[in-house]
Amino acid sequence: MAITGLTAAVAPGGVQSAIARASAKTGVDFNYLLGQAQVESSLRADARAATSSATGLYQFVDQSWLAVMKRHGDEHGLGWAADAISQGANGRYHVADGETRRAILNLRTNSEVASLMAAEHAADNKEALEGALGRNVGGTDLYMAHFLGLGGARKFLATLASDPDRSGAAMFPAAARANRSIFYAPDGQARSLDEIYDRFANRIERGAQLAGGGKVLPAIAGGKAATAPMSLAQLTAMGGEVIQGTGSDANESSTLDRLLAGGGGEARSLLRPTPESAKLAYLMLATLGG
């Protein structure tokens, strides 16, 4: 079959402008998407995990990628991919043609497509988690949904509220085998749900600080930014604003919430960027020619 629209090739303009375009198009906060990409792949569009099928800028596993592509591919010019994906009675997603399946999965290494799908995935997960948990969710909660899948995140977060000392490896043995350093301490002791959650919160904080702390963001070879990448500190000097962390407190529900917090201590919505965050996204697009 002919594959049209965006392809698996790296999108022009590099990772930075791809994330900025996804933020501008979907309304999901630019700083959140940037911090998540830093944590997941160190802003490498071709990153691949050694212990699972996780691939690309946002480390989507096969099934999660097929699910979000089925739901949102068509609205982003990837109707051929969405139409080729079907869901079985067991809930798993399939593509009948092997070549088409490979092409769809390879889109995970396209920073443009990956950023769009990560933004849509975050919006979907936020809505579903808030409905299931009956509370607002923050960045760490959304990261749990990306890491464990929506069903796994619901189970994790509900149990965390009632039994925070429970072993995470006992609840999620497959995830623990693929991510031993997250579920087990260096001495081999299984970490509790509370410890795992705090570990994710700290990882996201460090990722957001690194991505937004004046470091030069790596550009994809061949992109416009590859010859002269611009740091977020430079963009900030031109009028944008990057939200910085204010320290770590393991007792708070979400460290990323504090990174995105505005005046009055209220969490900024991940789906409604602040004027400063939106300005930064559009400024980056203008600077990189996106």
Side-chain angles (χ1 to χ4, degrees), residues 180-192 195-196 199:
R180 187 172 180 83
S181 65
I182 292 172
F183 285 85
Y184 294 93
D187 63 1
Q189 181 71 29
R191 289 191 171 102
S192 68
E195 289 171 331
I196 293 168
R199 188 173 179 82

Side-chain angles (χ1 to χ4, degrees), residues 51-52 147-148 168-180 183-184:
T51 56
S52 73
F147 177 66
L148 291 173
M171 286 186 66
F172 303 98
R177 286 193 296 271
N179 301 274
R180 187 172 180 83
F183 285 85
Y184 294 93

Side-chain angles (χ1 to χ4, degrees), residues 204-229:
I204 293 171
E205 179 178 13
R206 288 195 300 270
Q209 287 176 332
L210 178 59
K215 306 294 184 181
V216 175
L217 303 180
I220 298 300
K224 293 181 180 179
T227 56

